[in-house]
Each structure stands twice: as C-alpha cells, then as structure tokens.
Amino acid sequence: MANRTSTAQRPNGATQGRICQFKLVLLGESAVGKSSLVLRFVKGQFHEYQESTIGAAFLTQTVCLDDTTVKFEIWDTAGQERYHSLAPMYYRGAQAAIVVYDITNQDTFGRAKTWVKELQRQANPNIVIALAGNKQDLANKRMVEYEEAQAYADENGLLFMETSAKTAMNVNDIFLAIAKKLPKNEQTTGPGGSGQGRRLVEGDTGAKTAGNCCK
Amino acid sequence: MELKISDHKPVSALFKSEICVVDQNKYRKVHEELLKKMDKLENEFLPQVTVDQTEVMFDMVKFREPQYRDIIIANTGQVLAEFEFIKKLDDVSYCKEWLSITPFSGCIRPGEKCDLRLQINLEQPLEKIYDILVLHLIGGKDMFITVSGECQRSCFTTSIATLCRCPVPLLQLTSDQLKHAENQQSPVLYSVPRELWLLIDHLYRNGLKTRELFESIALHEEIIRIRDWLDTGSLDPIPGSIHAVAEALLLFLSYTRDPVIPYHLHDACIAAASNYQSCKQIVLQKMPDLDRNVFLYLCMFLQELLKYSNENGTDAKTLATVFGDILLRDPIRNSRPQANRGKASFIYHFLINDPSTLIIPNK
C-alpha cells in the first residue's frame, strides 16, 4: 500500500498512479467472436475453434492512458438466445459495453442493434457503448457495409470499429477508445480503494517483495 | 543490485528517497510492464472450474416420483474455488421449488472435484421442466446449467373443475380435450371427479372397519401404482393396500390445484368455526358448486366411517383435524399453524351434523 500511495503523490508523475476500475460487458449473438476478442485483448491469443461460452467468463485487463490507468473487469457473456434473459445480471451496473456482430452475417448486425436498444433502455444511463464489427479478416465475405454500421453508430452515439480477433486489428484500440471515453471522476477508485481489496492483493505483495531490500 | 537473504537473521528495510529527475518514458515503460505482469498473475489466479455437463435432462417427470442427476465440478485452476448457485434477477431463490441442489455451495481445492446432486420432486402441475441455474465462482466466472425434462400430468395436481369435465382418464385425453376442460369450455360431466369417486368408493366398500385408516403411511411404490392406475384409467382392480388407497385419497385432496375450500373463504370458515349455522352458510352460499359437491361427498363418507368407530377406532375429532388441515390447506404449507384448531372445528360440524340438508340437486 505504502508504495502505491507514494506513487500517486509523486509530484511530477501527477495522477499516473491512479487506477480507475470499470465493469465492461460483451454482448452479441453467439459465434460473432466475443470470447475471441477478449482472449486477444487479455492474452494476445487466438483459437480458431473457440469453445462456446455457457455462462459468463470473467477476466481483468489494465490499459494505461496518459494520465490514468484503467482497469477493466470484463464479463464475456453467452450469446445463445436462450441465455438472453440472464444478460441483465451482467450489464446491470456495467460502465461499458461492447456489442459485437459479425461483418459476414447481416442477422448478427440486426441482433446487435436490439442489444444496443436494450442497453439504452435498461442499462446504466451513462454506459459507454462500443459497436464492434468483428471478423474483419473475412472482409471479402462482408454482408454488413462499414458505412451502414458507422452511420448507425453515429446516430446512436456509439464508438465504432471493425475488428479482427484473428489478426488483432483494432482489438486493443477499441478497448483503449472506451477507456478514454469513460468518465474518470466519480466512479474512480484510487489505489487501495476498498472495493478492489481482493484484486489488488497480488500487486501489493509484489511491490513489497521488491521493496524488501536485504543485504 | 542483487537480493540476498541472510542465513542468520533476515533483515529488511524501507528506504525513503527523493528522486530529482524521472525519465518519463522509462517510468511509463516500467509501469506498464508491471501492470501487465499483475494482470497476468491476477487472471492466472482467478478461480477456474469445469462442470461435466451444462445440460441436465430428466426422464419423464411424474408426480411425487423423485429423480436425480449428478454433476461433477472440477477445480482446474490454481486457487481454492468457492462456488454457489445464485439467483437470477427478480427470482426469489437460486432454483425452482421442484428442484433441490445438494450441496448448493461449497469449496473445492485445486485439482479436486465435487459431486452435486440435482433432485426433482414434482408436486405441482407443470407443463415442462425448464430452468437455467447460475453457478457462480466467488471472485470469478459464472456457468449456466440448463435443467429440462417433460412432465406427465396427473389427476393429483389437476383442478377439481377440470377433472369433472374430463370424459376419459387424464392420460387418455387429447391435448384439445384437456385444453377445453382446463379453460372450462367443455361441459361438466361428473358431479365429483371420477378419480375421487373411485378412491372413496373403494374405501367405502372395503375400508369402513379398518383401524388407523388415515394414520398409517403406505409404501411409496403403492402410491405410485395407484397414481398410474387412476391416470391411465386401468380396468384392473385398484392396486395397493386399503391403507395405501386411504393415503392416496389424502394426497389427492392435498395436491389438487386449489384446495377444496377456496383460499379466499378460509378466514371466513375459521371465523365461523364456533357456529354451525354460519359454517353452513359459507358452504351453501359461497362455495363453487363442484367444490361443494366434493366437500359434502367426502363428509358423508367420513360420517359413514364414524358409524363404525367401534371397529375402526377413529373419532370425529381426529378426522376433523386430519381433513381440516387438508381441505383448508394454506397457500404455503403449514404457514399458519395457529389456524389449525379453527380449521378442525369447521370440519367437525360437518361430521356430526346431518349434511343431507345441504345437498342441492344438480341444476
């Protein structure tokens, strides 16, 4: 804890040590690549045959901005329609959402629009929503035009990018864009914030070990 | 600088130092690398488990015939996994009332497994078994387990109004016939349900002199056989001992979709319990016709039974207590034990007074 606090107070580093934690949820029809986007973002990996998610997977990832560090608690949900009624458990209380569709499948774009509508109606009113047209590596089989999706995103105030979990195109960028757009004042939790006790333990231990200078 | 730990006396120290110049680029690089390392560690140390099935299917589920399925949760992560089933938004419990999960929460050490048993016991009318359970790891992910199965309908959980409209035994009905009967679109064919008549008629012919008729517990299989005999409309003689038939009668009256005396009349019945005339008024004026038929038919049978008290050893008070609890059952079973005496007193009147004045010919 001591190490972190001193980092935060460093005069020339300004607020560099500040960590803001946000809950982010991924929504979208099954097989559009939600889990693949997360896997690429968090672990830098891609599996051609990613298993279908039956539940809600949980991972964390930190991104550094100029002035703050944003830590995402990522909930990757099951896309199958029968699990639809369970989605509010995950988007309720989320500060950010990535709604994913597959650019080679027009239906998934329609489904993405209904997810956006549902979020606008039922989620946190300040939620930052990003639309991700995934599988950009298959652009030769494209069924959803970039301009169409961009226009839809503009109309609804969404961030929009076409992504590819396979080639990593725009994957970090979309998370980064969300991190930038998120408000950093109210929900922010400074280092050592009470809610994150569990999650900061490992980091603290590490810091202490490094500080234990024995001769 | 190399870190060494003294073999005699471990020494550690904290240094406070002022740093004049910070290379922002290097600082940022180190900072990001550390954060990456921490992310990696944190994700590695998240609890991880696998379940051997996420689709749990039950065979045809029948009234009061429990079935179970076992699932195995294995801790495939590096830390202790604490699991629990959590309720979905707006649900009151983590599973439906027909299901039980043991254990519904627990701890699994890395590399170890835990068996969970999902048991179904159907005691209410249900079209289908279907629910999605949410298995949550504390500090980690959620998994969905879908429970499904077909349900077989039974006269035990069907309403009196429906049964009186069924031209054939329940399992011989077409779905259209059933729908019409349930929506009360088809005509009333019997003044009391055929199934009730079969049970009471059998007891009347064979059980009037039997001791402890409603006080002993029959074998579970006997009840199941009687259930199937009633639902299929078998032409064989009724299976099971006389005590099993008596218990089947109690079950029948306990599980009909609504109690024989409708819920909204319970308070009035209990309030009127000290006065037979008031009790009569409720039965005559407030009870729906078919419910009244069943009530009076049952009371007349119980009066017959009381004529043989010397042989069967029963008395009106005992019967009033047993049937009061059933005919005036609470929406949540035994949620008002303080009302039991009032219920028994209400029934008692109809066991000791001549009910023939209450009989109204079918219109």
Side-chain angles (χ1 to χ4, degrees):
Chain A
M1 259 348 136
N3 283 306
R4 285 171 169 277
T5 316
S6 64
T7 315
Q9 285 163 350
R10 185 193 300 277
N12 51 356
T15 47
Q16 200 143 36
R18 207 166 76 167
I19 300 182
C20 307
Q21 189 152 324
F22 295 102
K23 179 177 172 188
L24 179 147
V25 62
L26 281 100
L27 299 164
E29 192 155 309
S30 62
V32 295
K34 295 178 294 300
S35 301
S36 295
L37 283 173
V38 175
L39 190 68
R40 171 60 80 188
F41 175 55
V42 173
K43 298 189 176 162
Q45 299 170 350
F46 177 77
H47 299 155
E48 197 69 48
Y49 299 98
Q50 175 70 31
E51 262 180 50
S52 172
T53 307
I54 300 174
F58 176 78
L59 284 167
T60 65
Q61 182 72 4
T62 313
V63 294
C64 295
L65 302 178
D66 288 339
D67 51 348
T68 41
T69 302
V70 168
K71 179 166 185 178
F72 286 118
E73 285 191 350
I74 305 168
W75 285 95
D76 168 27
T77 64
Q80 286 176 48
E81 186 48 40
R82 64 163 146 163
Y83 302 125
H84 182 175
S85 63
L86 298 164
M89 291 176 73
Y90 304 98
Y91 67 65
R92 243 181 230 186
Q95 287 99 357
I98 304 182
V99 177
V100 187
Y101 68 93
D102 169 358
I103 65 159
T104 70
N105 182 334
Q106 182 73 41
D107 291 346
T108 66
F109 183 54
R111 190 72 192 83
K113 288 180 181 172
T114 54
W115 275 120
V116 170
K117 258 185 228 140
E118 184 169 335
L119 287 173
Q120 287 169 338
R121 224 177 32 240
Q122 303 196 42
N124 170 2
N126 302 320
I127 192 167
V128 172
I129 306 174
L131 182 67
N134 195 35
K135 307 198 187 177
Q136 199 281 338
D137 51 290
L138 302 175
N140 58 339
K141 294 182 191 160
R142 170 191 295 281
M143 297 300 287
V144 183
E145 289 309 321
Y146 182 90
E147 292 72 22
E148 185 190 357
Q150 180 71 64
Y152 171 76
D154 290 345
E155 271 166 45
N156 288 275
L158 319 176
L159 293 166
F160 169 64
M161 283 184 201
E162 285 196 347
T163 56
S164 168
K166 188 169 180 173
T167 67
M169 182 186 116
N170 277 345
V171 176
N172 286 337
D173 308 68
I174 197 163
F175 281 92
L176 210 59
I178 294 168
K180 282 183 182 149
K181 199 175 168 186
L182 280 163
K184 311 297 187 305
N185 27 21
E186 326 97 60
Q187 292 115 333
T188 53
T189 319
S194 54
Q196 287 74 44
R198 182 188 67 79
R199 299 189 195 294
L200 291 177
V201 165
E202 276 117 32
D204 286 337
T205 320
K208 267 182 206 137
T209 320
N212 286 351
C213 195
C214 311
K215 290 177 191 168
Chain B
M1 187 169 59
E2 202 183 340
L3 264 174
K4 277 188 182 153
I5 291 188
S6 157
D7 51 355
H8 297 289
K9 211 180 214 176
V11 180
S12 70
L14 266 179
F15 293 95
K16 200 172 181 180
S17 68
E18 299 264 323
I19 294 160
C20 303
V21 185
V22 176
D23 181 332
Q24 284 300 331
N25 283 337
K26 279 191 181 160
Y27 172 80
R28 176 159 302 185
K29 218 175 139 195
V30 171
H31 182 69
E32 284 184 15
E33 269 170 19
L34 268 174
L35 283 175
K36 245 183 216 146
K37 223 183 235 174
M38 278 164 57
D39 276 339
K40 194 165 173 266
L41 271 174
E42 189 170 333
N43 287 325
E44 270 174 23
F45 287 108
L46 284 175
Q48 289 298 344
V49 302
T50 53
V51 290
D52 68 331
Q53 47 184 325
T54 53
E55 299 277 339
V56 179
M57 309 250 270
F58 285 88
D59 297 332
M60 181 65 88
V61 182
K62 300 175 183 175
F63 173 73
R64 295 259 284 185
E65 206 173 332
Q67 286 182 38
Y68 64 83
R69 295 284 183 273
D70 289 336
I71 58 176
I72 304 166
I73 314 183
N75 185 342
T76 51
Q78 306 185 38
V79 293
L80 189 76
E82 246 182 294
F83 70 86
E84 63 175 349
F85 284 90
I86 56 172
K87 57 183 185 188
K88 300 185 281 280
L89 292 176
D90 310 325
D91 273 6
V92 287
S93 174
Y94 60 87
C95 71
K96 297 277 191 279
E97 65 273 26
W98 36 261
L99 191 73
S100 62
I101 310 172
T102 34
F104 68 92
S105 68
C107 268
I108 313 171
R109 277 193 285 248
E112 292 188 356
K113 291 178 179 177
C114 177
D115 284 4
L116 297 185
R117 175 157 291 187
L118 308 185
Q119 179 162 314
I120 276 189
N121 188 22
L122 191 63
E123 292 190 334
Q124 64 268 77
L126 210 59
E127 296 257 317
K128 251 189 168 105
I129 293 289
Y130 186 78
D131 196 21
I132 300 173
L133 308 172
V134 183
L135 176 62
H136 173 65
L137 297 183
I138 313 274
K141 65 176 178 177
D142 292 354
M143 277 156 294
F144 300 155
I145 296 167
T146 307
V147 176
S148 61
E150 297 290 319
C151 293
Q152 183 167 294
R153 50 182 185 252
S154 170
C155 63
F156 283 84
T157 51
T158 308
S159 74
I160 291 169
T162 301
L163 290 175
C164 289
R165 289 175 166 85
C166 291
V168 289
L170 212 58
L171 292 178
Q172 295 179 23
L173 285 178
T174 64
S175 51
D176 271 354
Q177 281 174 315
L178 181 69
K179 210 167 35 180
H180 288 140
E182 278 177 341
N183 299 336
Q184 313 208 353
Q185 289 161 330
S186 46
V188 172
L189 302 171
Y190 303 104
S191 45
V192 297
R194 183 189 141 271
E195 293 79 4
L196 182 76
W197 179 82
L198 284 166
L199 294 173
I200 289 184
D201 186 60
H202 183 79
L203 293 174
Y204 178 71
R205 288 171 198 276
N206 307 289
L208 290 182
K209 295 175 185 171
T210 307
R211 297 190 73 83
E212 297 181 336
L213 192 58
F214 293 112
E215 286 154 64
S216 54
I217 292 171
L219 288 174
H220 183 245
E221 301 88 76
E222 287 187 290
I223 300 294
I224 299 300
R225 284 210 303 276
I226 294 171
R227 175 200 70 196
D228 290 344
W229 183 82
L230 289 170
D231 286 338
T232 54
S234 162
L235 297 173
D236 297 334
I238 192 164
S241 65
I242 196 76
H243 286 106
V245 175
E247 194 182 333
L249 173 64
L250 292 180
L251 284 174
F252 179 89
L253 296 168
S254 304
Y255 287 98
T256 45
R257 188 175 282 227
D258 301 301
V260 174
I261 298 173
Y263 289 125
H264 71 272
L265 295 179
H266 288 195
D267 286 339
C269 291
I270 292 162
S274 58
N275 182 325
Y276 177 50
Q277 289 309 318
S278 314
C279 296
K280 247 166 82 170
Q281 291 298 318
I282 296 174
V283 172
L284 272 175
Q285 291 171 6
K286 304 264 175 71
M287 267 177 87
D289 289 349
L290 292 173
D291 292 337
R292 185 194 307 115
N293 290 349
V294 166
F295 179 71
L296 294 176
Y297 178 54
L298 182 72
C299 289
M300 289 197 302
F301 163 68
L302 295 177
Q303 290 210 357
E304 285 300 310
L305 198 63
L306 287 170
K307 286 184 187 161
Y308 297 86
S309 347
N310 285 340
E311 280 131 300
N312 59 35
T314 192
D315 61 86
K317 277 203 170 132
T318 308
L319 290 180
T321 305
V322 170
F323 283 89
D325 199 27
I326 291 173
L327 301 178
L328 289 152
R329 72 172 193 250
D330 299 323
I332 300 164
R333 276 165 212 274
N334 294 321
S335 55
R336 293 195 307 169
Q338 72 279 12
N340 284 351
R341 183 184 267 199
K343 294 176 185 177
S345 310
F346 178 85
I347 303 297
Y348 184 76
H349 291 298
F350 298 91
L351 302 184
I352 57 162
N353 290 295
D354 179 8
S356 58
T357 55
L358 286 157
I359 307 283
I360 307 167
N362 267 348
K363 291 159 210 162

